[in-house]
Amino acid sequence: MLLITLCSLIAVFILAFAGLRLIAPAIIRTRHKIKAPGIDRMEMVEIGGIKQALYIRGQNADNPIILWVHGGPGNSMMPLLHLYQYAWENDFTVVNWDQRNVGKTYFANDPAAVLQTMRAERVLEDVHEVTAYLKQQFNKKKIILAGHSWGTVLGTMAVQTYPEDYSAYIGISQVVKMADNERVGYEKTLEVAKAAGNQKDIKALEAVAPYPPSEYGPNYMTDLMTVRTYQSKYGLSVNMDLGDVIRILATPYYSFNELKNSFLFNQLHVFHDQGDVVPFLMEKADIRNYGADYQVPVYYIMGANDYNSPYLLAKSFFDEIAAPDKQIFSIPDADHMPFLSNKAEFDRILLEEIAPKLANRS
């Protein structure tokens, strides 16, 4: 009877999973189908000598374009876009791009060969080439760049290196210097664990001290994942429950094979595929090196509970910025992905506070 019960549970799980992957994506696609004059296009484009994936959606192709530069490095937002993006598509054409050796781009090329090219300078040139492609395709003089996490470092590099390409910059969970983020985030997590009196957690966190290490080495990412585990536990990072995972698994935009190679299941492997980009971010990246004088409007959107990208560090640099327009927003009850954890307030900020300022700039 025990064996029969176990087999029955396995069968139910398999059927439920098959239904989730076969039925839910079709329903989502049908409910959010875009008609002319809109655009709904997944394509592979030759960027930087390799094929790179772009997914372009919006209700009117004449709307301003947002190039969404994802974080990680290696964390595509494409499989999550059904959870946050649809509300933006009346005002913007949104372009999700799987960066070099990420997601659909990973599977479209030889990952081992691409790994040899994984440098921050090369990915920056990819941003430039993607931008040029979108400007040409949509007959735009400028586009909006929105970066998330690692994408805020890459995005800042892009708008400061090629300001003529962009009508505005939106930094979501903005990073200034990753080493400072890690130090402050670690100290906060240890403080919260001590306040909770959880000796097991305190011991695990103290075991990785000093954190972060002064140099990137073989144990850096393992220690980082330990810190992230406890940050999530105490609501200081990305806080996903089983329901969130199920909703991501229902995505119509990634195959299950692509999901298996995403941050959802295989974070350390994803970091490995990013080559020299990861040590650049963890050890060397500092957006202050690109100056505080911006030729484009700058908007930061931060989660108040985010200690991957602490608000006060971003605010300190933001106060130095000189730009045609600038504003920083802190979203209560929001984590490192504020567009998911407090979607209503994020959407209000983007669509009611920022969008009206950008309507005539592209």
Side-chain angles (χ1 to χ4, degrees):
M1 287 300 296
L2 182 61
L3 181 60
I4 291 171
T5 301
L6 180 60
C7 290
S8 297
L9 289 173
I10 292 172
V12 168
F13 174 80
I14 292 172
L15 287 171
F17 181 76
L20 179 67
R21 287 301 304 160
L22 291 173
I23 298 171
I27 293 173
I28 293 170
R29 279 190 182 277
T30 300
R31 287 181 177 176
H32 298 281
K33 185 177 181 180
I34 292 178
K35 300 177 182 179
I39 183 170
D40 183 348
R41 189 169 80 205
M42 183 84 72
E43 59 187 29
M44 287 291 172
V45 181
E46 189 83 7
I47 298 292
I50 65 171
K51 295 177 181 178
Q52 301 206 34
L54 301 176
Y55 186 31
I56 307 170
R57 282 182 56 97
Q59 297 292 342
N60 189 329
D62 290 333
N63 281 339
I65 294 171
I66 290 179
L67 173 59
W68 179 265
V69 181
H70 67 67
N75 289 356
S76 170
M77 289 291 101
M78 206 180 291
L80 282 68
L81 74 82
H82 62 296
L83 303 181
Y84 64 84
Q85 181 179 295
Y86 296 139
W88 311 347
E89 293 172 355
N90 287 321
D91 296 80
F92 301 102
T93 296
V94 185
V95 181
N96 274 266
W97 161 47
D98 277 358
Q99 296 169 28
R100 189 169 288 255
N101 249 10
V102 177
K104 292 181 181 294
T105 299
Y106 176 93
F107 287 101
N109 303 280
D110 176 0
V114 176
L115 183 60
Q116 304 307 309
T117 72
M118 292 302 303
R119 297 180 299 278
E121 296 82 1
R122 175 62 264 177
V123 186
L124 173 60
E125 287 307 302
D126 289 348
V127 179
H128 186 47
E129 291 187 36
V130 170
T131 299
Y133 172 79
L134 294 172
K135 287 167 59 180
Q136 186 273 328
Q137 285 287 304
F138 292 94
N139 192 29
K140 299 287 188 182
K141 293 181 180 179
K142 297 174 183 286
I143 67 172
I144 301 160
L145 192 151
H148 173 243
S149 194
W150 147 247
T152 67
V153 175
L154 188 55
T156 298
M157 292 164 62
V159 298
Q160 290 293 73
T161 306
Y162 305 105
E164 66 279 3
D165 285 339
Y166 302 103
S167 56
Y169 169 67
I170 303 172
I172 305 161
S173 307
Q174 179 70 45
V175 175
V176 177
K177 183 177 181 181
M178 194 67 185
D180 290 342
N181 282 17
E182 292 303 309
R183 173 181 53 80
V184 171
Y186 172 78
E187 290 170 355
K188 179 65 174 181
T189 308
L190 185 57
E191 173 192 321
V192 173
K194 288 180 176 179
N198 194 321
Q199 295 303 315
K200 182 179 178 181
D201 293 356
I202 295 168
K203 184 176 180 180
L205 286 164
E206 289 180 340
V208 304
Y211 183 87
S214 58
E215 296 182 356
Y216 185 85
N219 296 324
Y220 196 118
M221 297 314 299
T222 302
D223 290 348
L224 181 145
M225 296 308 294
T226 296
V227 174
R228 290 289 183 274
T229 296
Y230 291 101
Q231 286 176 332
S232 293
K233 177 176 179 178
Y234 291 107
L236 304 174
S237 180
V238 177
N239 308 303
M240 287 190 176
D241 57 24
L242 179 60
D244 296 319
V245 173
I246 290 171
R247 285 187 286 274
I248 295 171
L249 289 173
T251 181
Y253 306 117
Y254 257 39
S255 69
F256 183 61
N257 193 42
E258 289 165 342
L259 280 171
K260 286 193 301 182
N261 198 56
S262 73
F263 72 93
L264 188 64
F265 294 107
N266 211 351
Q267 184 72 80
L268 284 177
H269 177 67
V270 166
F271 280 136
H272 172 75
D273 290 331
Q274 299 305 299
D276 290 343
V277 175
V278 173
F280 168 80
L281 173 62
M282 298 301 177
E283 187 177 36
K284 301 176 183 177
D286 186 341
I287 67 168
R288 290 172 293 198
N289 294 335
Y290 290 83
D293 292 329
Y294 285 69
Q295 297 181 38
V296 304
V298 176
Y299 307 103
Y300 285 0
I301 308 177
M302 310 294 295
N305 298 336
D306 179 11
Y307 277 84
N308 286 175
S309 297
Y311 170 80
L312 289 178
L313 293 179
K315 178 65 164 56
S316 178
F317 176 71
F318 181 85
D319 288 343
E320 301 175 16
I321 291 175
D325 187 38
K326 69 173 189 174
Q327 195 164 357
I328 186 169
F329 304 90
S330 178
I331 300 182
D333 302 317
D335 60 22
H336 192 58
M337 291 188 177
F339 44 89
L340 293 178
S341 52
N342 193 339
K343 174 176 164 48
E345 180 60 9
F346 185 96
D347 288 353
R348 188 197 68 77
I349 289 169
L350 179 64
L351 301 177
E352 297 180 17
E353 300 271 359
I354 297 176
K357 300 180 179 184
L358 305 181
N360 298 316
R361 294 190 63 91
S362 61

